[in-house]
Amino acid sequence: MSTPNFANEAAWIKEAKGRIVVGPADTPVPGPGEILVKVRVVVSVKTPTNLLTCMQTEAIAFHPLDTKLQLFNFFDLPYPAIFGASIGGTVVSVGPGVEHLKVDDAIVATTPTYFRRDYRFGTFQKYALVVARNAVKVTGNGYSVLEAVTVPTQGTVAAFALGVASALPRRPNTAAQKTTETVLIWGAGSSVGTYAVQYAAQAGYTVVATASTSTPGETDRVKALGATHVIDYRQSPEEVVAALAPYAPYAVVLDSVTVPASLAAVSKLLVQTQPDETKRLVRALGMDAQKVVDPSVKVESIPYVKLSFDHATHGDFVDYLSKDWFANGIENKSIIPQKPQIVEGGLDKVQECLDLVLKVKIAQVVLKLTN
């Protein structure tokens, strides 16, 4: 397929730990099963069965990983680079085999930019590649692209941590399918925690969550997500453990914050309430967490978003997310997105957004492209 005549521009990072420089970029050339998108959303793996989409970027969601990679370069990425892995936009070209998306469709998606070190998927540009199977169509009947752009990346982390790694069932169709088991989500104020509470609650579990209950409206917000009990993590570790203990045992514990203080508290909780050492397991997000917990507690950290690009193994679950949980959640507003802090402007605002990510407490940062 020939490349449409779209002039591309990107927010480049020219060298490790460098600042953003806006400049021209090649427009990605879609191959078999690929599509070109004016960026809003981008996705995944380039194989004959993993169909790619390329879109025009209209909204970009920023995450702590984006900023930390710029500051610390711990993935040892090649440079010059185009960062970004969350996008919302409009399909401008569709490759062979893509049947559920067409030109002018609006989508939101997450992309494998960092895992594959392939900057054609980088979302800090006007046109990027997206794997159609991972893209979520936004009809406009429910949430807008701007409202929904925060859903796919962190929602995928939460869903894979609970639905794949922890084997929680998909949401029940009837009340009879609900379970009496309890799930603990540490850090319901985080992006991943926001979607994890909803996934577990909609799967029929009782959800206990930690959050900053002193923040105005936060307890009500977390309960609206589906949590039954909300515990203030800002108490002393002993007080937090004492408050969580009555709801044990927990079928799953997900630490969506994964800092030494959260892991230490969860470790104490499991040692006190879970006599079976084989069940002292914490799902975590990054860092060498095993060093800060009791030796009997196992901490498991998996690159959950990366799993979503392994269609050979997890294609059925990817379809469930993109065509069911995410799609219906966006269409029917049965998923509550984390409210973003919105910045408006062009790609010259990307650095401002990256700097802002580490300053905001709860909200994600979204760049609404206006030129």
Side-chain angles (χ1 to χ4, degrees):
M1 175 182 291
S2 61
T3 305
N5 187 25
F6 298 124
N8 198 17
E9 188 177 42
W12 290 95
I13 297 178
K14 298 289 188 178
E15 58 189 6
K17 302 181 183 180
R19 304 284 282 179
I20 290 292
V21 177
V22 177
D26 292 337
T27 302
V29 178
E34 302 173 344
I35 62 178
L36 187 68
V37 176
K38 197 178 179 191
V39 176
R40 258 186 169 183
V41 184
V42 196
V43 220
S44 154
V45 184
K46 180 181 177 182
T47 72
T49 57
N50 289 338
L51 308 177
L52 302 184
T53 304
C54 191
M55 298 189 60
Q56 177 180 7
T57 309
E58 297 178 18
I60 303 169
F62 294 78
H63 307 286
L65 177 62
D66 301 321
T67 300
K68 290 174 182 178
L69 284 174
Q70 183 186 33
L71 291 174
F72 306 117
N73 190 37
F74 49 79
F75 275 5
D76 192 25
L77 296 169
Y79 291 88
I82 302 172
F83 278 16
S86 293
I87 184 177
T90 305
V91 179
V92 297
S93 181
V94 178
V98 179
E99 297 180 353
H100 68 293
L101 294 172
K102 63 183 185 302
V103 171
D104 292 332
D105 278 346
I107 67 164
V108 290
T110 185
T111 73
T113 311
Y114 304 125
F115 301 120
R116 299 193 170 271
R117 291 171 164 76
D118 188 339
Y119 299 132
R120 297 176 305 160
F121 296 96
T123 62
F124 298 174
Q125 59 183 325
K126 289 186 175 179
Y127 294 91
L129 290 177
V130 174
V131 176
R133 192 169 183 177
N134 292 71
V136 184
K137 185 175 178 179
V138 180
T139 67
N141 295 325
Y143 293 123
S144 67
V145 166
L146 191 62
E147 293 170 314
V149 70
T150 65
V151 173
T153 299
Q154 307 294 28
T156 293
V157 174
F160 266 82
L162 297 176
V164 175
S166 304
L168 264 63
R170 299 170 190 182
R171 66 178 189 274
N173 296 318
T174 67
Q177 292 177 275
K178 290 185 178 294
T179 176
T180 58
E181 293 185 308
T182 302
V183 170
L184 171 60
I185 306 298
W186 187 288
S190 70
S191 299
V192 172
T194 290
Y195 298 110
V197 170
Q198 294 178 82
Y199 189 95
Q202 292 180 25
Y205 285 76
T206 297
V207 178
V208 176
T210 69
S212 175
T213 60
S214 60
T215 300
E218 183 64 357
T219 298
D220 290 341
R221 185 190 76 89
V222 175
K223 286 188 175 181
L225 300 176
T228 304
H229 308 283
V230 183
I231 307 301
D232 190 354
Y233 74 88
R234 293 187 176 183
Q235 302 176 84
S236 70
E238 293 75 19
E239 289 174 318
V240 176
V241 171
L244 291 171
Y247 308 111
Y250 294 98
V252 177
V253 175
L254 173 63
D255 183 351
S256 66
V257 180
T258 311
V259 294
S262 63
L263 287 165
V266 169
S267 176
K268 290 179 181 179
L269 174 69
L270 288 173
V271 169
Q272 288 185 22
T273 63
Q274 182 52 268
D276 184 350
E277 292 190 7
T278 65
K279 295 182 178 180
R280 293 178 182 174
L281 174 64
V282 182
R283 304 285 179 197
L285 308 179
M287 80 173 282
D288 188 5
Q290 200 63 55
K291 294 179 180 179
V292 298
V293 300
D294 186 273
S296 69
V297 177
K298 179 182 178 183
V299 179
E300 183 177 90
S301 181
I302 299 172
Y304 298 109
V305 172
K306 187 176 182 179
L307 297 182
S308 73
F309 302 122
D310 180 1
H311 291 173
T313 305
H314 301 296
D316 178 65
F317 194 75
V318 170
D319 290 342
Y320 166 67
L321 294 182
S322 62
K323 296 180 180 179
D324 188 338
W325 196 52
F326 290 158
N328 288 324
I330 291 169
E331 178 86 2
N332 304 323
K333 296 189 175 182
S334 56
I335 290 178
I336 302 174
Q338 190 177 44
K339 187 175 181 180
Q341 179 163 338
I342 297 172
V343 176
E344 295 191 25
L347 291 174
D348 59 318
K349 291 285 188 178
V350 167
Q351 186 62 63
E352 178 183 325
C353 292
L354 287 169
D355 294 340
L356 187 59
V357 165
L358 297 183
K359 297 177 182 178
V360 297
K361 294 297 184 181
I362 296 178
Q364 285 190 282
V365 176
V366 170
L367 173 60
K368 179 182 179 181
L369 292 181
T370 56
N371 55 57

